[in-house]
Amino acid sequence: MSSEPQTVGTSIEERTVPAQPVAGLAFKVLLGVLVLLGIVGFGLGLASGQADRAWQAYLVNLLVWLGIAQGGVVLSAAFYLTQGRWAGTTQYRLAESFVGFIPLGFILFWGLYFGRTLIFPWVLHPIPQKAAWLNTPFLFARDGVGLALMTVLSLMLVRLSRGPQAAAWQRNSNEIEMPPPATRRTAVALAILFAVVYSLIAFDLVMSLAPQWHSTLFGWYFFGGAFWSAIVATAVSAVVLRARLGAHNAFRNPTVLHDLGKLVFAFSIFWVYLVFSQYIVIWYGNIPVETFFIVHRVYHMPWEAISYAVVILMWVAPFLVLLGVRPKKSPAILGTIACGGLVGVWLERYLLVVPSLSPRAIPFGWVQLLVTLGFFGAFILCSLPGLNLTAAAALAEPWEEHE
C-alpha cells in the first residue's frame, strides 16, 4: 500500500486515493489454503469417527464469525440511530467491513441440518413438554427466516450507507441535520430484528443443547456478546489498517483509536453486567434445573479454567488496561486488548456450546483447529472488499481533524 502523503483538508471527491487492495495475492492464497484446510479437516473429522467434534467446532465457529459480521453492521446502524457523526465515513466503512460474511454464514447455517442428530440431543430423544418448540422443521424454519431477513436488511443498510446521501450526511455535520430517511428506517428495523433473531439463535442453537435449562436473560446476553465481538474486531482492523496504510490516514489520528477504545471499554462493562445479572438471579433462586448450567462451567474442571480466562479476556483486561486515555490511543495496547477480546469471544462461545455436548473433557484437537482456521480464512476473505473500501475512506478523510 502506498505511503505517499495525502493532501489534507480537501473534500473526499477532490482527492486521488490509491485503489490498491489491503491484501496482496500471497495473503489471499494463504487464506484460500486455510479455507481448504478447514474443509478437509471437517471432512476427515466426519470420516474418522470424530463427527461429533467436527459438528461442535462447526457450530462454535459459525456462532463466533457470523456474530462478528452481523454485529458490525448493527454497529453501523447504532451510529446512525445515535447520529454518531463523530464516527466519520471511515468508521462507518470499518463497521460494515465484515458484511461479506453474512450471506455465507446464512448458507452455512443450513449445514447444521445435516449434523442435527449429533448436535441437538432432543432430535433423537424428544422432550414431550417442549416438542411444539423443539422440533427440526420449526427450528430451521424460524431461524432460517430470521437470518434471511437479517441478511437482506444488512445488505440494504450497507448499500444505503455507501450511497451519496448517507456519505454526504457523514461528512457534513453542519449542513445536513439527519441521516437519510431510508437509512434511518433500515437502521431501526435492523437493530430491532438483531435483538429478536439473535435471541432466537441463542435459545435454539445454544440453550437447546441443554434443553432442561432455561434463562430469559440469555438472549440479551448472547446478542450483547455478538455486538461486543464486532467492536473488538473493528478495533483490531483499525490498528492493522493504521500500520498498513502508511503515514497519513484517518487511523493515524489518536482520536479514532480513542473512540474505539472507549467502545471496547464500555461494552466490556455491559457484557459483565449481563453476566452478573444472569448469575445473581440463578444464584438467588438456587433451583437445580437452573444452577447446573452455571455450576458445571464455573466450578467444575476443566471448564472452570476456561471460564476464568473468558472473564479476564472480555472484562478484567479491557477494564483495567483501558481505564486511562493514553492506553486507548496506543495502537499496541488497544490492539493487544482487542485481540485478547476476540480470543475471549471464541472461548466464550466454545464454553456455551461444548460442555453441553461433551461434559467430561475438553474436546480440542486437529479437527477443531482445522475447522477454526477454515472459518477464519473464509471470514477474512469475505471481509477484504469491505476493508479495501475502509482503506480508501481512511486515506481520503482528513486524518488530523477527525471529529
Side-chain angles (χ1 to χ4, degrees):
M1 181 56 62
S2 170
S3 60
E4 291 295 321
Q6 305 297 306
T7 305
V8 175
T10 57
S11 67
I12 289 178
E13 291 82 0
E14 293 169 337
R15 292 162 182 257
T16 301
V17 181
Q20 298 179 20
V22 296
L25 179 61
F27 186 66
K28 293 178 182 176
V29 170
L30 175 62
L31 293 174
V33 171
L34 292 181
V35 174
L36 186 60
L37 285 175
I39 296 172
V40 171
F42 182 73
L44 289 177
L46 296 181
S48 63
Q50 302 185 62
D52 53 343
R53 293 190 172 197
W55 281 112
Q56 289 169 19
Y58 186 98
L59 176 58
V60 169
N61 283 283
L62 179 63
L63 295 175
V64 170
W65 301 109
L66 185 57
I68 294 174
Q70 188 61 72
V73 181
V74 174
L75 180 60
S76 176
F79 289 159
Y80 282 112
L81 295 178
T82 57
Q83 300 185 39
R85 274 184 284 207
W86 58 269
T89 301
T90 300
Q91 299 289 63
Y92 280 89
R93 298 295 172 269
L94 181 63
E96 299 157 2
S97 294
F98 317 125
V99 68
F101 187 79
I102 295 177
L104 177 61
F106 172 68
I107 295 171
L108 293 174
F109 160 77
W110 292 100
L112 295 175
Y113 180 84
F114 300 100
R116 64 191 185 282
T117 57
L118 294 172
I119 297 174
F120 304 113
W122 44 266
V123 173
L124 296 179
H125 306 285
I127 303 172
Q129 298 88 344
K130 299 183 179 181
W133 182 264
L134 292 181
N135 64 80
T136 299
F138 190 31
L139 182 144
F140 280 91
R142 61 178 179 264
D143 291 353
V145 170
L147 289 175
L149 290 173
M150 290 291 298
T151 303
V152 171
L153 276 180
S154 298
L155 295 175
M156 283 179 59
L157 181 68
V158 173
R159 183 173 179 272
L160 290 169
S161 182
R162 293 174 181 173
Q165 291 183 318
W169 177 80
Q170 294 159 13
R171 296 194 301 270
N172 303 313
S173 57
N174 296 324
E175 301 174 10
I176 308 175
E177 184 178 356
M178 298 287 286
T183 308
R184 292 204 310 271
R185 288 194 293 268
T186 307
V188 170
L190 185 64
I192 295 174
L193 198 64
F194 178 65
V196 174
V197 173
Y198 269 68
S199 293
L200 269 181
I201 295 296
F203 298 147
D204 290 342
L205 302 189
V206 179
M207 189 185 290
S208 78
L209 303 179
Q212 64 272 42
W213 184 63
H214 58 86
S215 166
T216 53
L217 189 62
F218 189 66
W220 285 83
Y221 167 80
F222 187 81
F223 73 70
F227 189 71
W228 189 77
S229 70
I231 293 174
V232 290
T234 57
V236 172
S237 301
V239 171
V240 172
L241 290 175
R242 181 184 184 277
R244 186 81 176 91
L245 297 179
H248 292 81
N249 64 81
F251 296 115
R252 287 283 171 178
N253 188 323
T255 305
V256 176
L257 294 187
H258 187 206
D259 292 337
L260 287 171
K262 285 186 284 187
L263 285 175
V264 172
F265 176 81
F267 279 90
S268 74
I269 298 174
F270 179 66
W271 176 82
V272 82
Y273 161 76
L274 293 175
V275 171
F276 184 73
S277 299
Q278 188 161 237
Y279 179 84
I280 194 66
V281 171
I282 292 174
W283 173 83
Y284 190 78
N286 197 23
I287 303 172
V289 76
E290 294 180 352
T291 57
F292 84 94
F293 189 88
I294 304 296
V295 168
H296 184 58
R297 286 162 173 78
V298 176
Y299 298 108
H300 292 172
M301 292 297 287
W303 310 110
E304 180 182 3
I306 297 180
S307 294
Y308 283 110
V310 167
V311 174
I312 290 171
L313 291 170
M314 295 185 69
W315 176 61
V316 176
F319 179 79
L320 294 179
V321 176
L322 298 180
L323 263 175
V325 174
R326 185 172 297 178
K328 296 186 184 75
K329 294 182 177 180
S330 167
I333 296 176
L334 179 62
T336 302
I337 292 298
C339 285
L342 281 178
V343 174
V345 169
W346 194 94
L347 289 175
E348 184 239 18
R349 303 286 137 144
Y350 185 85
L351 192 64
L352 290 177
V353 169
V354 177
S356 297
L357 304 174
S358 303
R360 300 185 183 281
I362 297 177
F364 192 89
W366 60 270
V367 173
Q368 290 85 354
L369 179 61
L370 292 179
V371 172
T372 301
L373 290 176
F375 269 87
F376 172 77
F379 178 82
I380 300 298
L381 270 178
C382 292
S383 301
L384 284 179
L387 291 173
N388 288 333
L389 288 175
T390 304
L395 289 171
E397 199 165 49
W399 63 275
E400 83 291 28
E401 294 177 352
H402 192 279
E403 293 184 51

